[in-house]
Amino acid sequence: MGAASHGFAEVGGDPERGEELFRQCSSCHQVGQGAVDRIGPQLNHIFDRAAGEAEGFRYSAGFERAAAGGLVWTYDTLDSFIENPRVLVSNTRMSFRGIAEQQDRDDLLAYLRLFSSSPANIPEAAPTAAAVDHAVAPEVLAIVGDPAYGEYLSGECTACHQASGAATGIPSITNWPTEDFVVAMHAYKEGVRAHPVMQMMAGRLSNEEIAALAAYFESIR
């Protein structure tokens, strides 16, 4: 059966490697922009979704029973299902034999996380959660960011966070105070905030780039 219950931060899945692993799933499932149902349902927003609830998809009797029994796709139930689908859901039509290695499952789930909003069992799911106790050097906080450069850099951010300020699933970062933004990003960058996707993204950014993004998002009207 699946691994013992854990938070995503303790797992440390690699979403880039997970994207490669997803190729073995892609003959039946799609995920990302424009994803549609195939042999299996599309997997956008799979975390926190009740089993058997992809609109318009016709599920097997086994999945209908699991759904009626209250199965919800949390990190642990997904982990167990990917390890051995038929152990968790009997009589499923899914012919996939499962993934035995825990790290492979963690990496695959880290990739699927990119397409879900605020999933359960993943600490710090909301990047705009209250700042943790994390000190940033005064000279870093003093950097004055260029909003125009921040707008140029913002594409990865707005893939999830809407520049309009709408907060559908993933909270808004528009009009967030620059210092709070900088503190939070450096907490991800230095591994204090335990969210592997945000850690990966923040780790790519220089101090000046973080300051520019902070200035841009605070300036949006």
Side-chain angles (χ1 to χ4, degrees):
M1 200 62 178
S5 178
H6 45 54
F8 195 80
E10 299 169 2
V11 176
D14 178 353
E16 292 184 2
R17 184 168 179 270
E19 183 175 9
E20 296 177 6
L21 289 165
F22 185 74
R23 291 173 186 168
Q24 62 189 295
C25 311
S26 61
S27 60
C28 296
H29 297 279
Q30 291 188 354
V31 70
Q33 186 174 4
V36 297
D37 297 334
R38 303 185 73 181
I39 296 172
Q42 59 83 13
L43 299 178
N44 289 336
H45 302 290
I46 187 66
F47 284 91
D48 278 355
R49 190 168 81 192
E53 285 201 355
E55 186 175 353
F57 185 78
R58 185 175 179 180
Y59 288 92
S60 65
F63 256 104
E64 289 178 353
R65 285 194 298 271
L71 177 62
V72 174
W73 293 124
T74 65
Y75 191 97
D76 290 320
T77 55
L78 284 166
D79 181 59
S80 295
F81 186 71
I82 293 170
E83 182 180 14
N84 188 337
R86 294 181 185 277
V87 166
L88 190 65
V89 180
S90 60
N91 299 322
T92 174
R93 293 193 301 262
M94 185 166 168
S95 59
F96 184 60
R97 296 180 63 181
I99 296 176
E101 293 297 321
Q102 181 68 63
Q103 189 61 56
D104 289 348
R105 299 197 302 275
D106 292 338
D107 293 342
L108 178 58
L109 288 170
Y111 174 65
L112 293 177
R113 164 63 184 97
L114 298 176
F115 306 97
S116 280
S117 301
S118 303
N121 299 333
I122 300 182
E124 299 286 357
T128 54
V132 296
D133 184 11
H134 177 64
V136 175
E139 57 269 26
V140 173
L141 291 175
I143 296 172
V144 178
D146 178 357
Y149 184 38
E151 183 176 11
Y152 170 76
L153 295 170
S154 67
E156 280 194 337
C157 302
T158 55
C160 293
H161 302 278
Q162 298 184 50
S164 67
T168 305
I170 296 177
S172 170
I173 54 175
T174 298
N175 301 140
W176 217 28
T178 54
E179 182 170 332
D180 290 350
F181 188 104
V182 170
V183 168
M185 290 298 287
H186 279 277
Y188 289 122
K189 187 179 179 74
E190 296 169 28
V192 176
R193 282 194 175 205
H195 186 301
V197 175
M198 289 298 300
Q199 286 175 351
M200 177 183 67
M201 292 182 174
R204 298 171 178 169
L205 298 171
S206 68
N207 294 345
E208 289 72 19
E209 288 171 331
I210 290 174
L213 284 167
Y216 168 62
F217 282 108
E218 185 182 49
S219 70
I220 295 175
R221 295 290 180 265

